[in-house]
Amino acid sequence: MIRISNDRKHMEDFCSKPIEIGESADTRRTYAQNNLVSKCMIPGLDHVIFVRGSGPHAIDYGLSGGKSPKEVIVSRKCAEAVLRGAQVYVPGVLACSAHVEKGDVVAVSVAVEQPGADGGWGANITRGTILQGSPADPYYFERNGLYIGQGITMLSRAGMFRVPVGVAVDMNCRVFDLPSFHDLLEGEIFLQNLPSIIAARALDPQRGERILDMCAAPGGKTTAIAILMQDEGEVIAVDRSHNKVLDIKKLAAEMGLTCITPYKLDALKAVCRSESDDLAASHFPQDVVGIEERIEKTSMAASDDLDAELVPQSCDVNSKNGTYSSKAVERKIMRKMRNGPGRNHCSGGRVEKSKGFLPNSFDRVLLDAPCSALGLRPRLFAGEETVESLRNHAKYQKRMFDQAVQLVRPGGVIVYSTCTINPGENEGLVRYALDTYKFLSLASQHPRVGGPGLVGGCQLSDGYTEEWLRPGEEDLVQRFDPSSPLDTIGFFIAKFNVSSKDA
C-alpha cells in the first residue's frame, strides 16, 4: 500500500506497489521528467512517495468584456481541499449561477466567513442561493478576487442541491496545480500529509496487538496502523460522527483490511466502567473520575466538506452546572434550520455504537486530538480562534488524554498528535501529562523528522502561566513547523511509555 503526501511542495501516500500516476505512460513520463514524483528518502518510510505541485497559475475566467461567467461558490473548507488537489464535491457547494447544466465551464470561488450579528463568523450564504453574476448581486463582493480555479460541472445546478454526495465540479484549471488521485488505484493509494504518516509509524504497532485510534476519521492513520500490523491483531477505530464512521468502514473495505473495527463513540466517554471495576482514585486526578457525567454531550455535525477533518469548536463554561456549551454548535444548529438537514441525515448505512472500553484493555492508543488546526495548509481563514478558545481546546484535549491514559495497559504506549502550532495544545499537553501521571515518560520516536519542541512557557494576558517542556525533553517530541525547510503542515507528535500504574 502506498501513501502520498499533500504538503505544499510534496504530496504523500502509503501503498504495496509502485504508484501509477495519470492514465498513460506519457503522463507518467512527464511527471518523472519534471521531478514531480520522487521516492521518499527518509529512513523507515520506504513505501512513501512525494508528488510535487506547481503554482500559482493565472487563469482566464472570462470576466472581461462585460459578460459574467457561470459560477459556483464553495465553502472555505471545500476551497482549502481544492487548493490541495481535490475536486469540488457536492456538500461543499453553497451557491451556483442559474441555468448551469452538466458539462458547463464554471468559475469556482470561495465564500470566506464574515463576522455575524451573533458574534461568530459565517459565510452568510444560504445553501442553494442563485448567483446573479453582476455587481448588483449581493454576493458579488464576497467572491470578487477569491477565485480558486475553473472546472467542468459534473451535475446540473439542480443536481448539485438534490444529491448528498458526488463530484460537482471537475477542476481542470487550478490556481495551484496538484495531481488528482480521484478514482485512481482505489484501495492501493491513500493521500496523506507527511507528519500524519510519521505519527502512525511512531506508534510502532506490532502484529497481534489490540490498538485504539480514539479520533479515527477519516481513517488514514487507522489504515496505516493496520498495514504496519500486517492486518493481524485488532484496531478499534472510534469517532463521534455517524457518517465519518461509515467513511472509515468504506476505506478499510477498499484496502482489504479486516482487523479494523469502527465504532460510533464520543472519545470523552471512551472508558466504560463495570460495577466491579474500581480504579483507585489516587492514580488519576479527581476531575477524571465520572467525567462522563460532567461533560455535556454536544452534537458536532460532520463537516460539509468531504475532505476536511473534524475540528472542535471552542466551549464556554456554564458555571451553574459545570457543563460545557458551544456557541459554534449553536450557530451550526441555526444554519441547519436555515439550510436543511444536510449530509448527516442523507447518508445511508448502519454503524455499530460502543458504550466504551474497560480500563487497561489496549496495548497502544493513538490520540490524534481534535484541535485548533492552525497548522493546516492552505488555511484561508481562522477568524474564530481567540486566546480563550485556544485555551479551551487545550482543556478539551486534556480530558481526552485522561481517557487514553486509563485505557492503555501498563507497559503500553500512547501517541498524542495534533495539526496545530499552538504550544498550549502541544507542549502544554505534554507538561500536563508528565506532571499529572507519574507513570508516564516521554519515549524516543522513529522515524524522527520533525524539529524539537518548545522549552519554557509563557504568561497569558489574564495572568495564567502556560508551562511547556523542560530542558532535555525537547528532543523527545516532534514539532513540524510550516516555515521549516521540510515545508510540511504544522504538526506535533509526542510518544509516552506507560509503566506500572501502581507505582
Side-chain angles (χ1 to χ4, degrees):
M1 183 68 56
I2 297 174
R3 302 241 159 195
I4 302 177
S5 167
N6 62 345
D7 293 309
R8 182 180 174 189
K9 288 184 180 174
H10 40 256
M11 303 171 56
E12 152 191 319
D13 223 295
F14 199 0
C15 299
S16 56
K17 58 182 180 180
I19 184 171
E20 300 174 17
I21 298 177
E23 299 181 355
S24 68
D26 290 340
T27 302
R28 292 193 291 273
R29 193 177 302 112
T30 299
Y31 277 115
Q33 290 173 348
N34 294 333
N35 295 319
L36 295 179
V37 179
S38 61
K39 182 179 179 181
C40 176
M41 303 306 293
I42 299 172
L45 298 179
D46 299 334
H47 300 295
V48 173
I49 67 172
F50 293 152
V51 180
R52 300 178 185 273
S54 63
H57 301 287
I59 298 174
D60 181 7
Y61 297 102
L63 299 172
S64 60
K67 184 179 179 180
S68 298
K70 292 183 178 180
E71 299 182 56
V72 169
I73 295 184
V74 300
S75 67
R76 172 180 57 86
K77 289 184 178 180
C78 176
E80 290 172 348
V82 169
L83 292 172
R84 292 194 297 268
Q87 304 290 6
V88 173
Y89 289 90
V90 166
V93 177
L94 294 181
C96 181
S97 298
H99 310 301
V100 167
E101 300 296 336
K102 180 179 179 181
D104 284 350
V105 176
V106 293
V108 179
S109 59
V110 54
V112 176
E113 287 95 332
Q114 304 292 330
D118 60 352
W121 297 77
N124 299 323
I125 297 179
T126 300
R127 180 170 162 81
T129 295
I130 298 176
L131 301 177
Q132 304 301 323
S134 70
D137 186 341
Y139 299 111
Y140 177 81
F141 292 102
E142 290 201 19
R143 66 183 185 278
N144 189 30
L146 295 175
Y147 292 99
I148 59 172
Q150 194 175 61
I152 306 295
T153 55
M154 306 300 290
L155 298 167
S156 67
R157 184 192 182 283
M160 292 181 192
F161 300 110
R162 284 180 181 170
V163 297
V165 296
V167 177
V169 181
D170 178 9
M171 298 296 296
N172 56 3
C173 269
R174 302 168 179 271
V175 172
F176 289 92
D177 189 19
L178 293 170
S180 174
F181 296 93
H182 180 64
D183 288 337
L184 180 66
L185 291 177
E186 188 174 281
E188 300 294 334
I189 180 173
F190 188 82
L191 188 68
Q192 196 170 23
N193 290 301
L194 176 62
S196 297
I197 293 178
I198 294 173
R201 294 288 179 129
L203 187 66
D204 192 25
Q206 302 297 310
R207 295 165 62 180
E209 290 184 329
R210 189 171 192 243
I211 294 179
L212 174 65
D213 188 350
M214 287 185 69
C215 302
K221 298 180 187 67
T222 306
T223 53
I225 291 168
I227 291 168
L228 291 171
M229 295 169 63
Q230 300 181 36
D231 206 22
E232 294 183 19
E234 184 179 16
V235 180
I236 303 296
V238 302
D239 197 273
R240 64 187 300 165
S241 163
H242 174 97
N243 284 322
K244 292 195 174 186
V245 175
L246 286 177
D247 291 342
I248 297 169
K249 288 182 63 175
K250 181 176 181 292
L251 182 60
E254 287 175 356
M255 293 185 171
L257 298 170
T258 60
C259 72
I260 297 174
T261 305
Y263 290 104
K264 180 180 179 181
L265 174 66
D266 183 348
L268 287 174
K269 299 185 177 182
V271 178
C272 174
R273 297 187 183 280
S274 64
E275 292 183 0
S276 60
D277 179 34
D278 184 19
L279 210 62
S282 60
H283 298 333
F284 301 98
Q286 188 63 34
D287 63 347
V288 175
V289 182
I291 191 171
E292 293 84 351
E293 286 74 31
R294 296 203 312 276
I295 302 296
E296 181 183 11
K297 183 176 182 181
T298 57
S299 174
M300 285 188 176
S303 167
D304 286 340
D305 172 22
L306 294 178
D307 297 84
E309 295 183 356
L310 177 65
V311 178
Q313 306 297 334
S314 59
C315 297
D316 294 327
V317 179
N318 185 329
S319 59
K320 293 183 179 179
N321 54 24
T323 61
Y324 288 79
S325 62
S326 170
K327 292 180 180 179
V329 170
E330 292 173 5
R331 291 195 297 274
K332 193 175 296 253
I333 293 172
M334 292 176 64
R335 286 197 298 270
K336 184 179 293 186
M337 293 173 63
R338 183 177 68 232
N339 298 340
R343 181 174 174 245
N344 264 352
H345 298 274
C346 296
S347 296
R350 296 174 60 88
V351 300
E352 295 292 329
K353 296 182 179 180
S354 173
K355 294 184 178 179
F357 309 97
L358 292 176
N360 305 321
S361 59
F362 291 93
D363 297 293
R364 300 172 196 262
V365 174
L366 172 64
L367 174 55
D368 185 49
C371 65
S372 57
L374 296 180
L376 293 183
R377 301 167 68 190
R379 194 76 191 268
L380 297 179
F381 186 72
E384 283 193 333
E385 296 299 346
T386 63
V387 172
E388 181 181 2
S389 70
L390 292 176
R391 285 185 61 185
N392 283 327
H393 282 299
K395 294 175 183 177
Y396 187 78
Q397 291 147 1
K398 289 173 184 176
R399 283 160 174 75
M400 283 192 174
F401 191 85
D402 292 336
Q403 299 282 293
V405 171
Q406 295 178 70
L407 290 168
V408 69
R409 66 169 177 80
V413 169
I414 299 173
V415 166
Y416 172 83
S417 63
T418 71
C419 58
T420 186
I421 56 176
N422 174 28
E425 301 174 71
N426 297 332
E427 288 86 352
L429 184 285
V430 174
R431 179 81 279 122
Y432 166 81
L434 296 177
D435 290 349
T436 305
Y437 303 104
K438 301 304 181 183
F439 50 80
L440 293 183
S441 59
L442 284 173
S444 59
Q445 301 179 36
H446 179 77
R448 180 166 185 88
V449 181
L454 301 179
V455 175
C458 71
Q459 188 172 50
L460 302 181
S461 57
D462 61 358
Y464 174 78
T465 299
E466 189 175 86
E467 295 186 60
W468 303 338
L469 302 181
R470 292 171 185 163
E473 296 173 340
E474 66 272 22
D475 290 328
L476 291 174
V477 302
Q478 297 195 66
R479 169 176 275 270
F480 294 82
D481 189 334
S483 64
S484 71
L486 189 59
D487 199 19
T488 66
I489 65 170
F491 208 85
F492 180 85
I493 307 172
K495 181 177 181 178
F496 300 89
N497 283 331
V498 183
S499 61
S500 173
K501 297 180 181 181
D502 295 325

